[in-house]
Amino acid sequence: MPILLHILASPRGETSHSRRIGRALVSHLKDVVVVTRDLALQPLPHPDRDFVEASLMAESERGDRQKAALALSERLIAELEDADLIVIDTPMHNFTVPSVLKAWIDQVIRPHRTFRTSPEGKIGLLRNRPVFLVVCCGGSCADGGAAQSDFLTPYLRHALATIGLRDLSVLRLEGLNRGPAAVERADEQASAWIADQVRNWNARQR
Ligand SMILES: Cc1cc2nc3c(=O)[nH]c(=O)nc-3n(C[C@H](O)[C@H](O)[C@H](O)COP(=O)(O)O)c2cc1C
């Protein structure tokens, strides 16, 4: 059975919009084994000196200390390698990813492990898989007026492509802090998007 890696990043537990919608998507994707990585419940460490030194060192030169420094990163990369599809649901925090999701990114994007460099730029070393991304924003990202810039979606698209995950489908829901009518509109948008993603996934599986 395909393995679905579900990555969650909202700190708001049951009141979280991104968790509610991510959960709805996951529940509609049938016949998958779900592996959950809850970055808010179990935050990951930021890269420390040992991690940085070990990740820049050739594998053959690493001693026990360096291997230990990369052990968690290896586990997180293995989760990615094992997955057949990935669902990431996340709030927008200060125009970009929440810091818990950034910590995950720092653990899984590693030179000579998940990407290599070339004169043409970085080349991803992971097999391409579908990634479904649900982004929830309190405000609006539409053009004009008081609208804000979305640094989250293009950043995550670029970061995931760096390691080879280029098949990204995005649902960005906006205005979620603007009352029940806005939440209702977002839920309708989410339902339609989920139906599309589930249809596409089922068609791939046939
Ligand atoms: C620390 C923090 C920073 C935030 N920054 C933004 C932001 O830059 N833009 C925005 O539209 N909403 C921002 N919000 C609002 C959240 O994106 C919004 O509440 C969203 O629903 C959160 O998703 P969740 O319900 O899954 O937690 C921020 C919220 C917090 C707690």
Side-chain angles (χ1 to χ4, degrees):
M1 228 189 271
I3 296 177
L4 184 162
L5 174 60
H6 186 194
I7 298 172
L8 305 93
S10 171
R12 299 201 315 127
E14 287 308 303
T15 59
S16 155
H17 298 296
S18 61
R19 281 174 184 263
R20 185 181 71 253
I21 289 156
R23 200 164 49 231
L25 171 60
V26 169
S27 72
H28 282 83
L29 293 163
K30 303 291 183 206
D31 300 323
V32 292
V33 175
V34 180
V35 173
T36 302
R37 172 58 65 180
D38 192 326
L39 301 172
L41 268 186
Q42 289 183 301
L44 301 168
H46 295 292
D48 61 12
R49 182 175 177 160
D50 279 351
F51 176 93
V52 173
E53 285 176 358
S55 66
L56 296 176
M57 206 177 255
E59 198 182 340
S60 57
E61 288 169 13
R62 285 183 201 136
D64 289 346
R65 184 183 173 124
Q66 287 81 25
K67 284 181 188 151
L70 295 180
L72 175 60
S73 163
E74 285 299 329
R75 205 153 69 237
L76 296 165
I77 292 169
E79 273 180 6
L80 269 182
E81 287 173 328
D82 290 346
D84 298 293
L85 74 162
I86 298 153
V87 172
I88 303 176
D89 46 65
T90 181
M92 174 182 282
H93 279 178
N94 296 317
F95 318 114
T96 187
V97 292
S99 56
V100 291
L101 183 51
K102 178 60 165 57
W104 177 82
I105 291 166
D106 289 339
Q107 292 281 345
V108 299
I109 303 190
R110 271 186 33 216
H112 315 298
R113 180 64 180 87
T114 53
F115 76 88
R116 66 180 173 83
T117 46
S118 81
E120 291 77 42
K122 294 185 167 104
I123 297 182
L125 297 177
L126 298 186
R127 146 178 85 88
N128 193 21
R129 257 87 29 95
V131 181
F132 302 102
L133 172 66
V134 176
V135 179
C136 288
C137 311
S140 167
C141 304
D143 291 337
Q148 62 191 337
S149 297
D150 173 6
F151 294 100
L152 190 162
T153 313
Y155 166 68
L156 208 47
R157 185 183 292 285
H158 190 81
L160 294 170
T162 298
I163 56 175
L165 302 174
R166 299 179 307 278
D167 185 359
L168 184 67
S169 307
V170 182
L171 173 67
R172 189 181 67 197
L173 298 169
E174 301 172 32
L176 287 162
N177 288 357
R178 293 186 180 156
V183 173
E184 206 173 304
R185 272 197 304 279
D187 280 349
E188 281 168 18
Q189 197 187 332
S191 297
W193 182 80
I194 288 171
D196 281 351
Q197 305 318 308
V198 171
R199 206 174 306 114
N200 293 346
W201 171 253
N202 290 340
R204 269 172 189 256
Q205 296 309 101
R206 271 185 224 119

